[in-house]
Amino acid sequence: MLRVAVVGSGPSGVYTAQALVQQSVVPGVRVDVLDRLPCPYGLVRYGVAPDHEKIKSLQQNLRAVLEDERIGFLGNVEVGAHGLTPARLLELYHAVVYCVGAARDRRLGVPGEDLAGSFSATDFVAWYSAHPDAVADGFGLGGRSAVVIGVGNVAVDVARILARGPDELRPTDVPQRALSALEASRVREVHMVGRRGPGQAKFTTKELRELGALPGARVRVEPADLALDPSFADPSGLAAVNRRNVEVVRGWAAARPGPEGERSITLRFFLRPVELLGEGGRVAAVRFERTEPDGAGGVRGTGRFEEIEAQLVLRAVGYKGVALPGLPFDEARGTVPHEAGRVLRDGAPSPGEYVAGWIKRGPTGVIGTNRPCAKETVASLLADAAELAGRTVAADPPAALRELGHEPVAWPGWLAIESAESALGRSLGRGRVKIADWAGLRDAAMGRHTAS
C-alpha cells in the first residue's frame, strides 16, 4: 500500500487526491488530506465571495471526493514552522504533495501604505469569509469613500461587497460580525483603480457585469480614462475575454445618466498609486500618477497627478507564495522549485516530495486549471511509486500524528462544524452562518458548540 499525504484541502489538493485514487497504475493508494484549518475546501470556503452561490456550490464536488473511503481528511494539522516539518512528514508517508497555495498578498511599495485604514484585499476577503485568522474588525467602514487598487476578480469582489446593501447579504453565510459591520457601513463611493486600461484588465466578464446589476448602486466610468486606451476605440485585436470587458465598459460609458443610487462604483484606469496620504494617522486619500500606454504593452508615467479621497484603501494587486520551512523556495517566483511536480533540492528531484497548485506554478489560472496541474504531478509520483513504496513509514499516520501531540479533526468533526453553523444560522433567523474563530471551530468539531 502506498500512503500519500496531500497538504492543503483546496481545489488543487482535492484534485490531487482524486487523481491518486482514481488511477489504475498503482493499486492500493491511500491518501490523507491535511489542512491547518479544521475545515476543508481552502479558498472555495474562504476566498469565494458569499454572494457567489454558484461557485461556492463547487464545495459539493470537493465533498464527494473527500468522502471517498480511500481518502481521509485531517484538519487542524499544521505543517511548517509551528507544526510538522517536511522531514517528519516523510517519516509518516511514502510521498507528500504540497498544495498550499499562495497566501501572501503583493504590496504596493508606496509611502503611507501602512496607515490605519489601508489593508490588503486578502484581509478584507478573510474577514467577510469568516477565516479564523482574520482581523476581528477595524476596517474603515465609517467613511464615505473607499478605493480598491487593482482590476482583477478579487478587486471586483471586494468592490461589489462594499456596494451591496445588507439585505442582499443577509441570506448568505457571511459571519454575523461582518454582516453587522456592513449594515452599519457609511461607504457610499467605491473607486476601483488600475494602472493600465480596460483592455488589459484581468477580471472576467461575468464578474465585471455583476457590478452593473447591483440594486441601489450605479456604475460610473471616466471617459477621459478610456480615451487613452487604443484598444477601447478598436478592441478587435484583443483576446476574447478582454474584448468582452471593453464592450461592457463601453456600454457603461455610453449609457445616459440615470437616477443617483444609494452607492456608486467608479471605474478608473491609467492611474498608478504613488502615495497614501494620511490625516491624524489614518488614510485620507490616495495620490495617483496618470499613466499612458508606452507602445509596448505597458504604461509609463506622465508626471501628472491626482488625488482620490479615501477613508478605506484595499490593495488587490496579486498574490505570492510563502516559503514553507524545510522546503526549498524561489523567492523571486514565489514558488517551490520543481520538475513536472517533483520538488527539486539543489537542482535534483527530492524523493517523495511533490507540489501542485499555486505553490507549483504561481497564482495563475482559474479553479479548473488545478486539474491538469494535479494530474501532471500525480503522473510523476506514480512513475516513482516503486521506489517510494520501499520506504518504511508509519502503519497508521493519523495515530502517529496524535502521538506527536496533534489533534486532527477528521471528517466527522467537519460534519459537526457544518451542523453547528446551521444551528447558529437558525438562532439568528438566517440560513447557515459561518463560525469565525478558532475556539468556536474546535469546540464545534468536538460537539461542544452552542448557537449564540
Side-chain angles (χ1 to χ4, degrees):
M1 178 185 295
L2 190 70
R3 291 192 175 276
V4 181
V6 173
V7 181
S9 65
S12 65
V14 174
Y15 294 154
T16 297
Q18 183 180 40
L20 280 165
V21 299
Q22 288 185 347
Q23 53 79 34
S24 58
V25 177
V26 179
V29 176
R30 301 282 301 193
V31 181
D32 285 336
V33 178
L34 280 57
D35 203 292
R36 186 175 71 90
L37 296 168
C39 312
Y41 310 139
L43 283 180
V44 177
R45 175 175 167 91
Y46 288 116
V48 175
D51 58 344
H52 272 177
E53 291 297 331
K54 185 173 182 179
I55 301 176
K56 288 172 71 68
S57 68
L58 176 63
Q59 292 184 22
Q60 299 308 313
N61 296 335
L62 303 181
R63 172 192 289 270
V65 176
L66 292 175
E67 288 181 334
D68 189 299
E69 62 182 9
R70 296 164 293 181
I71 298 173
F73 172 71
L74 298 174
N76 199 42
V77 176
E78 184 165 2
V79 177
H82 305 292
L84 286 166
T85 64
R88 179 55 65 91
L89 267 180
L90 277 179
E91 294 174 359
L92 304 181
Y93 295 91
H94 293 108
V96 182
V97 187
Y98 294 92
C99 305
V100 293
R104 184 172 63 195
D105 65 282
R106 294 185 181 273
R107 291 177 61 84
L108 300 172
V110 301
E113 188 170 7
D114 294 320
L115 283 167
S118 169
F119 300 90
S120 74
T122 307
D123 291 336
F124 192 64
V125 170
W127 174 69
Y128 68 59
S129 297
H131 196 293
D133 288 341
V135 295
D137 281 301
F139 292 98
L141 301 181
R144 178 175 181 80
S145 179
V147 168
V148 180
I149 300 174
V151 282
N153 281 347
V154 175
V156 173
D157 277 350
V158 298
R160 190 182 65 254
I161 293 297
L162 285 169
R164 269 208 186 281
D167 288 343
E168 302 161 51
L169 290 173
R170 195 169 291 112
T172 73
D173 63 3
V174 66
Q176 188 63 31
R177 73 183 185 198
L179 178 63
S180 297
L182 290 165
E183 285 177 331
S185 171
R186 298 177 63 185
V187 174
R188 294 297 179 265
E189 299 173 358
V190 181
H191 304 265
M192 190 167 69
V193 187
R195 63 185 178 88
R196 296 198 291 178
Q200 293 78 49
K202 299 297 184 182
F203 32 63
T204 54
T205 309
K206 180 179 181 297
E207 294 259 352
L208 181 63
R209 285 183 176 136
E210 287 179 346
L211 294 179
L214 296 177
R218 177 183 170 193
V219 178
R220 297 185 175 123
V221 181
E222 290 287 338
D225 295 353
L226 305 180
L228 293 169
D229 191 347
S231 66
F232 188 77
D234 180 15
S236 59
L238 295 174
V241 63
N242 301 90
R243 186 168 62 250
R244 290 192 295 267
N245 289 341
V246 167
E247 293 300 332
V248 172
V249 175
R250 188 198 299 275
W252 287 333
R256 292 182 178 180
E260 290 292 325
E262 294 180 12
R263 300 172 181 83
S264 66
I265 302 173
T266 303
L267 273 62
R268 299 297 310 275
F269 299 98
F270 293 107
L271 291 174
R272 177 168 57 200
V274 294
E275 185 177 4
L276 273 60
L277 305 176
E279 186 176 293
R282 290 192 62 87
V283 66
V286 184
R287 191 169 192 240
F288 293 92
E289 181 182 18
R290 168 66 75 187
T291 62
E292 63 183 9
D294 63 5
V299 293
R300 59 184 170 229
T302 65
R304 301 193 303 273
F305 299 88
E306 67 175 86
E307 295 175 8
I308 299 178
E309 176 192 348
Q311 294 79 42
L312 171 65
V313 176
L314 300 173
R315 63 181 182 272
V317 291
Y319 295 94
K320 192 173 183 180
V322 177
L324 191 69
L327 278 185
F329 190 70
D330 184 333
E331 284 286 352
R333 296 177 179 273
T335 58
V336 171
H338 73 94
E339 183 179 87
R342 294 181 178 93
V343 171
L344 298 177
R345 292 183 181 270
D346 298 322
S350 176
E353 294 185 310
Y354 304 84
V355 286
W358 277 3
I359 200 64
K360 171 187 173 185
R361 67 181 191 272
T364 61
V366 296
I367 289 175
T369 310
N370 290 295
R371 282 192 182 276
C373 176
K375 288 181 178 179
E376 178 190 55
T377 295
V378 167
S380 295
L381 191 158
L382 295 175
D384 303 338
E387 178 184 353
L388 299 174
R391 296 177 51 247
T392 300
V393 298
D396 186 348
L401 288 172
R402 287 188 287 271
E403 289 176 4
L404 290 170
H406 298 272
E407 297 180 3
V409 171
W411 193 251
W414 160 240
L415 297 180
I417 291 173
E418 284 191 312
S419 178
E421 291 183 337
S422 294
L424 176 60
R426 288 193 297 272
S427 75
L428 296 168
R430 298 173 56 196
R432 180 176 167 184
V433 173
K434 287 180 181 176
I435 297 169
D437 63 284
W438 278 102
L441 289 170
R442 286 167 174 153
D443 284 347
M446 299 297 292
R448 295 194 297 260
H449 189 271
T450 56
S452 60

